Structures are given as C-alpha cells and as structure tokens.
Amino acid sequence: MRWSHHLPRAFWGPGLGRSLQPADESIPFVTHWNWALKGQCPLGPPRAFVRHYGSSVGSVPPPGRHEQLFRSISTAEAIQRHRRNLAEWFSRLPREERQFGPTFALDTVHVDPVICESTPDELLRPSSELALDHRPPLARLPTLALSQLFDPDACGRRVQTVVLYGTVGTGKSTLVRKMVLDWCYGRLPAFELLIPFSCEDLSSLGSAPASLCQLVAQRYTPLKEILPLMAAAGSRLLFVLHGLERLNLDFRLAGTGLCSDPEKPEAPATIVVNLLRKYMLPEASILVTTRPSAIGRIPSKYVGRYGEICGFSDTNLQKLYFQLRLNQPDCGHSAGGAGVSATPAQRDNLVEMLSRNLEGHHQITAACFLPSYCWLVCATLHFLHAPTPAGQTLTSIYTSFLRLNFSGEMLDSSDPSELSLMAYAARTMGKLAYEGVSSRKTYFSEEDVRSCLEAGIRAEEEFQLLHVFRWDALRFFLAPCVEPGHRGTFVFTVPAMQEYLAALYIVLGLRKTTLQRVGKEVAELVGRVGEDVSLVLGVVAKLLPMKALPLLFNLLKVLPRVFGRVMGKNREAVAQAMVLEMFREEDYNNDDVLDQMGASILGMEGPRRHPDEAPEDEVFELFPMFMGGLLSAQNRAMLAQLGCPIKNMDALENAQAIKKKLGKMGRQALPPSELLDHLFFHYEFQNQRFSAEVLSSLCQLNLAGVRMTPLKCTVVAAVLGSGRHALKEVNLASCQLDSAGLRTLMPVLLRARKLGLQLNSLGPEACRDLQDLLLHDQCQIATLRLSNNPLTAEGAALLLDGLAGNTSLTHLSLLHTGLGDEGLQLLAAQLDRNQRLQELNVAYNGAGDAAALALAQAAWKHPSLELLHLYFNELSSEGRQVLRDLGSTAAGRAQVVASLTEGTAVSEYWSVILSEVQRNLGNWDQGRVRRHLELLLRDLEDNRGATLNPWRKAQLLRVEGEVRALLERLGGPGN
C-alpha cells in the first residue's frame, strides 16, 4: 500500500462526485429532490466562494428578452421563496462532511472541475478505447466555464440544450448542486427561474401520468401560482435534469407521442422526451447530466452542446482544493467538540507536504484528476491528523466514499435485473483485487483485467452490462500506470482501494470455486428433500425388500453438514492468510499501517530505497484491517444501501474463523508497530466482545518508538480502555506523547502496573494529567518512569500532590527531568507525604550539594524508601564524601547512590548507572556527560590507588574499562 511503489492515478478531487445527504439521514443528495420543499428561511448574504475556469458571476443574459419577465410583486415573492427553499435544501451536508467542522460548507471550498466541449465524433469512439483512456483533457477541444455553457456555438446558433457527461466520481452531482446554489444567491443572472429535477425521482413514478405543472407544483410549492407563466419565460427558464441514465427514453414517435401542453398528464418519460424535443416549452433552456453510457439515449440533433466533465486536470486546481478544505478554521475540531484544534501552522504544513508529493509523483497527480478521490484524500488526512469523531474508522471512510458515489446507482436502468453498480464492481473489480492480493501484485496486464471482467459471461445481456460498466465506472477503479518499467499495465486508482475491494470480495462470499457453487446448491437440495424421501422409502421398505435405500438417503442428509465443514475450512484458510499478512514484518519500512498510509499520501520523509535495489514483495497490511472493518454493523448497514448485503450468518462464521486464528497469533510477543496494527484491526472491527475475548491474554503493551498521534491514542483507548484485567507493563517511551494523548489514554494507563513514559517531551502541563492519574481511585501503577522529560520543578510540585494521595506507587524515576535545586528541595520537603515509595531516581538533574543532601536526609527518615539515585548531579567531591559518610551511619535506612564507588569499593549499582548512560547517550548533553564520566573515572583511579585488596582492584579496573569505553564513544580521552 505504498505510493512510493505505485501511485495509481487516483483522481483525488473536491466534490463528493456524487449526491449529498440530509443532516441526519444516509440518503443520497439527489434523492432530496424527490420531496417538496416547503420550509422558508432567510436567504441571507451569499457565502464567499472560489471558482476556477470561469464563474457564473457576470454572465450575460442571452439576446432576446433581457427585461425581467416576472414583474408582479406576488410572482417575485414566489420566486424568492423558491430560491430560499432550494438554498436551504441544497445546503444540507451529509454525515461524512460534518467531520470537517461545524461551520464547514461546500460552497466555501468549491473549485469548478474542468469541462471540455465534446463532439458526437468523440462519443462514437469504441468503448474498448474509452474504457481506460486517460488522455489529458486539455489536449482536446477548448474548456468551458459554467457561464459559457449556453453561449452560441461556433456557427453562432443559440444553444438551448446542454448535455454534461462524466464517469462516476467526476463531480456531476456536486457541479449541479453548486449551480443551483449559485442561482439561489443571484450568481446566475441569465436565468430568472431554475427548476431542478432528479431523474431518479422521475423514474420512481413509473408510467403514472402527471403533467409538467403537477410535477413542478408537487416538488416546489411556491411555484404553483406562476406555473401559467412558464411558457412566457423563454430561455430564461432553466430545467436541470440530473442523472438521465435513470430514465428509459424513447424518442421514436411510435414509442412516445408528441405533447406540447404542460398541463396535460403524461408519463414522466414522455414529458422529458418532449422537453428535449423542444416540442413542449420550446424556448426553455435545459441542462442534462448523465453517465457516458446513456449519452446515446438523446439523439444528437436535439443537443446544442456536449461537455465532458474531466475533473482536475490541472495540478493547481488540486492544490487549491486541498488548501481550501484542509485550511478550514475549525477543521481540527472533532464532531463533538472534543479534542484540540490543529494550529494554522500544522494545517499549512500538511498542505505543503501534500503539495510537494503532488509535484513529485506523477501517478498520485494523475490520481487527483477525479474530484471524488480528492475528497477521499482529505477525509483520510483528517482521520489521521485531527481528533477522530466517535465511531469513525478507516473502513467507514472508504465505505462512505463509495456510498457517496454509488448509492442508488443501478448499472443499467434498462436491465430488468436492476443490478446495483456497486454490486457489479464488487464482483468484477473485487475479483481482480483479491487475485492481486493473493499473488502479491499491484500491477495488472490488460489480459488480467479482461479475464476478470469477462469471467463467466455467456449471454448478450451480460455483455451489455459489461459495456455499461466499462463506460461508466471502470476508470473510477483502474488507471494506467505511468511509472517507468511498468508502462502498459494498470493499477487501482488508490492503492488502499485494491485492499478494500479484495476484503469486500471475501466478506460478500463471492470467492467460490465451481465445485463450491455446485456443491452448495446440491447440498441445499438434498437437505430439503432427503428427509421426506427417506420417510417415504422407510414406509415402502416395510412392504418391499428396499432396506438399503433409506440408509442411502440418511447418508445423503449428512451432505449439508459436510459441505458446511468444507466451507469452514475455506474461511479458516482466508483467516490464516489475513492474520499472517497483519503480522508480517517486511524488511523495508516496517512502520505501523497508519504511518504507512500517511506517508503514502504526504510522501516519504527521509531516505528512500535505491532504485537499483531488488524490489521487495508488496505489502497488504490494510487488507486484514478492511476485512475486520467490513464485518462491523455500521459498514454492513452502508453496504446494504449499496446493494451489497452481508448475511448475518456469513459475518458470524467469518468472525469466528478470524478469532480462532487471531487468538493463536495474538499470544506471541509482537514488535511495537505490529502490536499497534493488531489493535487497529480491533478498532476497525468495532466489536467490544470480540476484542475482549481475543485480547484477554495481553499482559504487556509495548508501543515504544511508535509515534502516538491523536488517532493512535484513540485506537488504543477504544480497544483496551474497557478491559478489566491488569496490564503488567505499558511501555510508551519515545512516543511523542502530549497532554492530550495522556488524557485519551487514561483508561488504559489506570490498568498498568508498570508505566514507562520516558523520552516524550512531557512538560509541566502534563504533570497535571499525571496528578489526576495518580489520584484516581482505580490507579494500579506501582512503577512510573518519567525520565528524560522536561518536567521542571513546577511539574514536580504537581506530581508531589499526586504522590500524597496515591497508595500504589513504589518506584518513581525522575532521571534527567530538569528538577534542579528547587525540584529536589521540594521533594525533600514533601517526601514524607507518601508512605509507600521504595525507590526514587533523581539522577542527572543539575542539583548541587545542598539540595542533594537535603533530599538524602529526607530519604533516610522515610519509613519505606530503600534506594535514592543521585548520581550525575552537580555534586562536588566534598559533597559526595559527606553523603558517603552520613550514609555509612544510616544503617537499615535508604541507600543513596551518588557515585560508582562506595568508599574504596565498587558500588553494587555501578552497572545500573552505566547502563542508564549507555541508553541515553543519544539524548543527553554529551559534553556534560563526558565531564561527569571523567570525574567518575578519576574517582575510580583514586580509590584503586587507595586500596590494597586485589579483588577490589580488579573490580575497579573492570569498571574503569567500562567508563573508558563510554568516553571513547563520546570522543573523549579513554586513557
């Protein structure tokens, strides 16, 4: 799933490429036109917006009737109410858009896609050539702005009917939606009245007769009183017919008779045909949008201009879209208001990294041609870098993305099977995707694609469906590869889409051999009739010598159970492959799957593999994540809306097979990145009971070195936060944690016996969260390591308040936390507030003799403290000697470790001190460490000269060698 290997031509652009839903529904945007708009709300000032390739602002009315036609006050008020209702209706955002902030509105970030004027000759090209042709649109005919759609053609003729077509994902619905809003806000002065129709809505009426006036009045109540004036509006009346592929039109006179009366009831298809014929309201302007396969349903003689919606063929349009959407002021807020908003600098950095990657990789730039894929990029980046809305997963983003583009879409409205477009894509593209995952390849030859598309096709109707799919949707999923060395091959438009479709192919139960398909049918048949036949033959056998036949049919009744076991073995094999893929450690770039996805979009920072190196196997770590995510109830509900239902029994059996294999692999000790992948799988699955059973044996959470973003903190907290068993150790060292991350992880940290938070740059503000953690009545932490964090004395004061009320902590490490003299004095004054502490490490904190001595004296008085670490502080020789002398008289009390020696002997903690130095050489001030080591070396040499005991001399020489080795690593004199 690395873009650095294959950045398919993923058209990642602005609009949703498809219809939008109301605020609390999951219904496609275009179906909102099915209902009448009755509410009234003030239109308000128009929002600021950005347009490229022209704008409707400043468009000039066509020649002829320039004066306002609807002069009366009542008529003007009716049109104004119509504008307000349309604006309210078309401004509603789907659930998927609310993640970008509470004030987000599409008209503030809209960028017009490129529209290229086309000709009938272009449309007559063979479908095989069209299927995967990606010639740059700018190399064709000139581009058109929205304001130019109804301009006179090259011969000066007036254009009354415009057909805009584009494949799935090019932004037809978003473009129409923006055009309607432009008219509502007065940015389309060429038209006094705009009436949008959804062809999906009209097709749902069937052949039930209704007049044009009735259709308008039912949907747009304020227009009832001005319907008689429609004929007088002429070209300043604009009908918008969106999604013409949903209507079966017959322009033959024998099939559809002529009708010029807007008040005469006819079938909706008849009214549309006569509008397009210019037989009904001949002066009206008409804008039609459709998929390429349905262009031929309108004879070209009735069309004044064809325009192909080509998406974002210009990189500047892609960049503008990302800047507008990702730089929203409240883009960093979660839906519920929780979380920390991203700063402007962070948002700018995100856009800059994405822009650099667009400029540096031709495949990802080609991918961003499709506006709908631009939405997917923004949604994925928002998921990875902003506070995550509750319940949102990566799988749900991809499922929502497909729902926005395919919901309600049938493959061919003229086909009686009414097969959904997404179901057909899952069967064909899913097969290709799974074959690629199973054979570990992402590049496909034309023969590979053809074999998957044409597999099992025998009837003419099936070839027709394939023809429609190639025209309308194949470019949405596949793109020609532009990488050197792979010319002539195809890749999935987005790398992760291959893994998603492969997982969908499995969970839908589409992966069946011929034997399995036939065996299932036979098993079901035998299971239904076997019992009845056995009963009949049992009666007959009492009269005739046929005792063997009932036995035979009893054996046949076992067949369904045998087949069920065979299918179970097949599911277990898939689950085994999935689990192995999840826990696979590749040699190069073994980051966790979330970091890999972020790098694939934003680009790899740092060194890359040399081009001459041998290529490595492709990695499909998202495949198991999508497998789990698609089995969740939320995604199954969305898939059902797409015509891809997952049966409850299939979901249960797949989950059981995965649990069986995952339980075995999950007991192994996993590297931190693979452990996070394991937790992310459970997060995608969204099943608390399943996760609790599988993770019940997890005792150590080692995520050291994993960059814990807000999303990863949410993942860990969501999966492990509701568990009941204690965690022996939680290691979050070098995870770039902050205060917000600590708060998110609080439910997990409460269950830890040992908690490691070293090297996280936690400051005093984080100590307030640590204080809350220590004071929590469910806190089980016995060992807390906070070394190498800039806590300072201010943070120490907060920690001391937490220690005072804590009853579980016994070991606390504050090594190299910037406490200084003030921090150690605070500890000395308040150490007795905690009566359970056994070990305290305040080494390397820049404290002087007085503070160290005060803390040592407090330690000797403490009832439970056994060990105090003071080495590598700014102690003089006299100060260390005072500590030794006082320590020798404090028998039975805490031992203070301030040096490698104790008198003339080696300290029993010398290895602990040197191991700490070795672990932290890369993080500590090397000059300061060198100075301390030189003092320790001099101390060792003096003690070796002062003792006559050969055993002690040998020990001192050994430790001297270790210190000299460390000095050599630091570039200091080793001898």
Side-chain angles (χ1 to χ4, degrees):
M1 54 152 265
R2 292 189 295 275
W3 280 97
S4 54
H5 278 206
H6 60 333
L7 304 172
R9 144 176 195 140
F11 307 110
W12 306 16
L16 307 180
R18 203 133 159 98
S19 35
L20 305 174
Q21 296 132 302
D24 296 314
E25 304 292 337
S26 57
I27 303 171
F29 155 74
V30 291
T31 61
H32 294 216
W33 303 354
N34 300 358
W35 308 309
L37 305 173
K38 298 183 179 179
Q40 295 186 14
C41 66
L43 191 60
R47 292 179 176 269
F49 70 103
V50 179
R51 253 185 206 290
H52 268 233
Y53 285 89
S55 166
S56 55
V57 177
S59 55
V60 180
R65 306 172 192 196
H66 289 260
E67 68 280 0
Q68 199 171 28
L69 297 172
F70 302 113
R71 293 173 176 268
S72 69
I73 296 177
S74 60
T75 301
E77 289 179 351
I79 293 180
Q80 191 65 11
R81 289 199 305 272
H82 178 56
R83 289 180 189 265
R84 284 197 296 265
N85 289 348
L86 282 182
E88 180 188 8
W89 196 250
F90 281 77
S91 296
R92 296 189 180 187
L93 292 177
R95 182 184 298 110
E96 289 79 6
E97 291 290 12
R98 278 178 269 161
Q99 64 181 309
F100 293 104
T103 64
F104 176 81
L106 285 181
D107 60 323
T108 66
V109 297
H110 181 76
V111 180
D112 281 346
V114 174
I115 303 175
C116 292
E117 187 168 3
S118 184
T119 64
D121 294 336
E122 283 278 310
L123 306 178
L124 292 176
R125 283 189 296 151
S127 61
S128 59
E129 180 184 348
L130 268 173
L132 288 169
D133 179 24
H134 287 286
R135 291 182 296 161
L138 294 178
R140 304 177 186 173
L141 294 175
T143 59
L144 293 169
L146 282 180
S147 59
Q148 300 170 327
L149 292 179
F150 290 92
D151 285 355
D153 63 12
C155 299
R157 292 188 298 264
R158 185 156 62 99
V159 173
Q160 291 181 283
T161 302
V162 176
V163 174
L164 296 181
Y165 66 93
T167 58
V168 174
T170 50
K172 299 184 295 296
S173 297
T174 305
L175 189 66
V176 167
R177 181 176 184 276
K178 188 62 175 65
M179 191 173 185
V180 172
L181 288 174
D182 279 351
W183 179 80
C184 293
Y185 293 125
R187 295 195 284 257
L188 278 179
F191 304 104
E192 284 194 35
L193 181 60
L194 183 146
I195 302 176
F197 280 113
S198 164
C199 293
E200 181 181 2
D201 171 31
L202 297 179
S203 68
S204 68
L205 301 177
S207 58
S211 68
L212 176 61
C213 292
Q214 288 175 334
L215 292 176
V216 174
Q218 288 171 1
R219 285 150 185 80
Y220 308 109
T221 306
L223 298 182
K224 281 183 178 180
E225 56 189 88
I226 64 171
L227 289 177
L229 302 177
M230 282 197 304
S235 61
R236 306 198 69 176
L237 167 63
L238 175 62
F239 287 101
V240 177
L241 303 175
H242 178 63
L244 190 75
E245 68 275 358
R246 300 303 299 265
L247 282 176
N248 295 319
L249 304 181
D250 187 355
F251 279 80
R252 298 172 303 148
L253 287 176
T256 304
L258 298 175
C259 177
S260 62
D261 186 0
E263 296 185 1
K264 182 181 179 181
E266 294 283 357
T270 300
I271 293 175
V272 171
V273 167
N274 281 285
L275 281 173
L276 292 170
R277 282 172 174 166
K278 292 302 172 185
Y279 200 77
M280 182 183 294
L281 301 179
E283 295 295 318
S285 300
I286 302 176
L287 176 66
V288 177
T289 66
T290 183
R291 301 201 308 242
S293 64
I295 296 174
R297 297 184 184 182
I298 307 177
S300 59
K301 65 181 179 180
Y302 298 125
V303 180
R305 174 171 286 127
Y306 290 98
E308 181 180 4
I309 303 176
C310 300
F312 293 158
S313 58
D314 187 349
T315 307
N316 291 325
L317 292 180
Q318 301 166 10
K319 292 181 181 178
L320 177 62
Y321 176 86
F322 292 127
Q323 289 170 1
L324 291 172
R325 186 171 282 260
L326 294 175
N327 275 323
Q328 287 291 298
D330 47 11
C331 186
H333 289 289
S334 64
V340 180
S341 176
T343 64
Q346 290 172 329
R347 294 195 294 264
D348 290 341
N349 182 58
L350 205 62
V351 173
E352 179 62 28
M353 292 178 68
L354 180 56
S355 298
R356 286 203 306 267
N357 204 32
L358 288 172
E359 294 169 356
H361 299 92
H362 299 293
Q363 194 75 59
I364 193 175
T365 305
C368 290
F369 279 8
L370 275 182
S372 59
Y373 275 99
C374 276
W375 180 90
L376 181 61
V377 169
C378 287
T380 304
L381 288 177
H382 194 268
F383 175 72
L384 293 174
H385 296 278
T388 306
Q392 187 184 58
T393 65
L394 185 64
T395 311
S396 70
I397 288 177
Y398 273 74
T399 308
S400 299
F401 167 68
L402 293 175
R403 183 177 65 176
L404 288 168
N405 286 278
F406 291 96
S407 182
E409 294 284 353
M410 288 191 300
L411 182 59
D412 186 1
S413 60
S414 62
D415 184 66
S417 66
E418 296 187 350
L419 180 65
S420 79
L421 183 54
M422 190 61 225
Y424 191 89
R427 192 177 71 198
T428 54
M429 293 293 96
K431 177 179 173 62
L432 180 68
Y434 180 74
E435 289 181 356
V437 170
S438 58
S439 58
R440 314 198 69 78
K441 68 177 184 179
T442 55
Y443 304 98
F444 303 93
S445 66
E446 186 174 350
E447 183 60 31
D448 294 333
V449 178
R450 195 182 304 278
S451 64
C452 285
L453 288 175
E454 298 179 359
I457 292 183
R458 297 292 181 269
E460 178 64 28
E461 294 79 7
E462 294 173 333
F463 276 104
Q464 175 61 26
L465 293 178
L466 174 59
H467 168 79
V468 173
F469 182 76
R470 290 177 70 99
W471 273 71
D472 294 346
L474 188 57
R475 281 189 287 185
F476 183 87
F477 295 104
L478 288 182
C481 182
V482 299
E483 289 185 31
H486 295 282
R487 303 282 182 173
T489 62
F490 303 100
V491 294
F492 277 85
T493 313
V494 181
M497 185 59 74
Q498 178 181 352
E499 299 173 74
Y500 180 93
L501 289 174
L504 181 61
Y505 185 70
I506 295 299
V507 298
L508 288 176
L510 298 174
R511 180 182 174 266
K512 292 187 180 74
T513 63
T514 303
L515 178 61
Q516 289 172 337
R517 286 194 294 270
V518 174
K520 182 177 181 181
E521 294 173 1
V522 172
E524 291 176 351
L525 177 62
V526 171
R528 286 195 300 268
V529 305
E531 186 174 348
D532 296 334
V533 173
S534 297
L535 181 62
V536 172
L537 288 179
V539 174
V540 174
K542 293 180 179 180
L543 306 175
L544 300 174
M546 299 172 60
K547 295 184 178 180
L549 289 179
L551 177 61
L552 175 62
F553 276 91
N554 284 331
L555 291 175
L556 287 177
K557 286 195 296 184
V558 180
L559 185 60
R561 288 198 294 269
V562 173
F563 178 79
R565 290 184 181 179
V566 172
M567 291 299 294
K569 292 292 183 183
N570 183 48
R571 288 191 180 92
E572 288 185 9
V574 173
Q576 177 72 11
M578 186 205 79
V579 171
L580 290 175
E581 190 65 50
M582 188 193 310
F583 296 140
R584 183 174 183 267
E585 292 186 64
E586 59 273 23
D587 294 330
Y588 178 79
N589 184 26
N590 195 36
D591 292 334
D592 61 80
V593 68
L594 293 175
D595 279 350
Q596 291 181 40
M597 172 157 277
S600 72
I601 297 175
L602 299 175
M604 296 288 293
E605 298 293 331
R608 299 173 181 267
R609 192 185 72 243
H610 194 275
D612 295 336
E613 291 183 25
E616 61 202 45
D617 286 342
E618 293 292 344
V619 179
F620 298 99
E621 288 185 309
L622 275 178
F623 170 65
M625 312 302 168
F626 286 138
M627 276 279 290
L630 289 172
L631 294 175
S632 69
Q634 176 190 5
N635 285 291
R636 286 167 55 199
M638 286 193 285
L639 287 171
Q641 297 173 15
L642 291 171
C644 301
I646 300 174
K647 297 179 181 178
N648 291 330
M649 188 56 65
D650 288 340
L652 177 61
E653 291 174 352
N654 277 307
Q656 289 174 342
I658 293 172
K659 182 194 294 185
K660 182 178 180 181
K661 299 299 178 182
L662 202 58
K664 294 179 181 179
M665 294 293 294
R667 297 188 190 100
Q668 303 176 7
L670 299 172
S673 61
E674 302 302 323
L675 178 56
L676 184 66
D677 289 348
H678 186 192
L679 298 178
F680 185 61
F681 168 83
H682 290 277
Y683 179 76
E684 289 292 309
F685 197 8
Q686 295 281 299
N687 188 319
Q688 288 284 357
R689 181 178 176 182
F690 176 93
S691 300
E693 292 177 5
V694 173
L695 297 172
S696 59
S697 60
L698 182 67
C699 296
Q700 291 186 328
L701 181 64
N702 180 16
L703 297 175
V706 174
R707 186 171 59 92
M708 293 300 291
T709 62
L711 171 61
K712 295 176 187 176
C713 293
T714 300
V715 167
V716 175
V719 175
L720 297 177
S722 59
R724 299 181 181 275
H725 68 282
L727 297 171
K728 292 181 180 178
E729 182 176 5
V730 174
N731 187 356
L732 296 172
S734 303
C735 289
Q736 302 181 34
L737 270 176
D738 56 11
S739 298
L742 288 177
R743 288 192 294 271
T744 303
L745 291 170
M746 185 74 74
V748 180
L749 304 185
L750 288 171
R751 295 167 49 201
R753 296 288 174 79
K754 293 182 179 180
L755 176 58
L757 296 173
Q758 313 94 298
L759 293 162
N760 276 298
S761 300
L762 297 174
E765 67 282 354
C767 291
R768 191 171 302 279
D769 300 298
L770 293 172
Q771 179 192 63
D772 295 339
L773 175 65
L774 293 172
L775 291 175
H776 200 284
D777 56 358
Q778 296 180 10
C779 180
Q780 304 180 42
I781 299 173
T783 300
L784 177 60
R785 295 189 290 268
L786 294 170
S787 54
N788 297 298
N789 286 296
L791 303 180
T792 70
E794 180 185 352
L798 294 170
L799 281 178
L800 283 169
D801 291 338
L803 284 174
N806 180 271
T807 58
S808 63
L809 192 67
T810 58
H811 296 73
L812 175 63
S813 175
L814 299 175
L815 178 144
H816 192 218
T817 51
L819 299 182
D821 287 335
E822 183 183 357
L824 264 65
Q825 292 284 5
L826 277 171
L827 285 170
Q830 303 186 41
L831 190 61
D832 59 347
R833 296 175 64 189
N834 181 288
Q835 300 294 310
R836 295 180 60 86
L837 202 62
Q838 298 176 12
E839 181 178 349
L840 177 63
N841 188 340
V842 290
Y844 197 14
N845 270 293
D849 292 346
L853 181 58
L855 183 57
Q857 289 174 338
W860 288 324
K861 297 176 182 178
H862 197 277
S864 62
L865 196 66
E866 299 173 358
L867 186 60
L868 174 65
H869 300 261
L870 284 173
Y871 49 86
F872 273 38
N873 280 293
E874 303 301 318
L875 304 180
S876 63
S877 300
E878 294 78 10
R880 288 196 297 273
Q881 187 60 46
V882 170
L883 288 174
R884 289 194 197 102
D885 294 342
L886 293 176
S888 61
T889 62
R893 289 179 288 180
Q895 185 168 0
V896 178
V897 181
S899 176
L900 291 174
T901 58
E902 295 177 6
T904 58
V906 175
S907 170
E908 62 178 300
Y909 297 102
W910 71 269
S911 60
V912 175
I913 297 174
L914 295 184
S915 64
E916 286 284 1
V917 175
Q918 288 176 336
R919 275 197 301 269
N920 294 285
L921 276 181
N923 305 300
W924 289 356
D925 181 353
Q926 296 195 0
R928 186 175 172 186
V929 173
R930 186 185 304 114
R931 179 167 54 84
H932 279 289
L933 288 176
E934 288 170 352
L935 289 174
L936 292 176
L937 182 61
R938 193 175 308 121
D939 197 16
L940 289 168
E941 291 172 344
D942 292 343
N943 281 285
R944 180 164 52 87
T947 183
L948 298 177
N949 188 319
W951 173 247
R952 289 184 177 178
K953 282 183 179 289
Q955 285 183 313
L956 290 166
L957 278 172
R958 178 189 174 189
V959 178
E960 284 180 37
E962 296 284 348
V963 174
R964 287 194 174 96
L966 288 173
L967 282 170
E968 289 176 358
R969 287 178 59 185
L970 290 170
N975 47 36

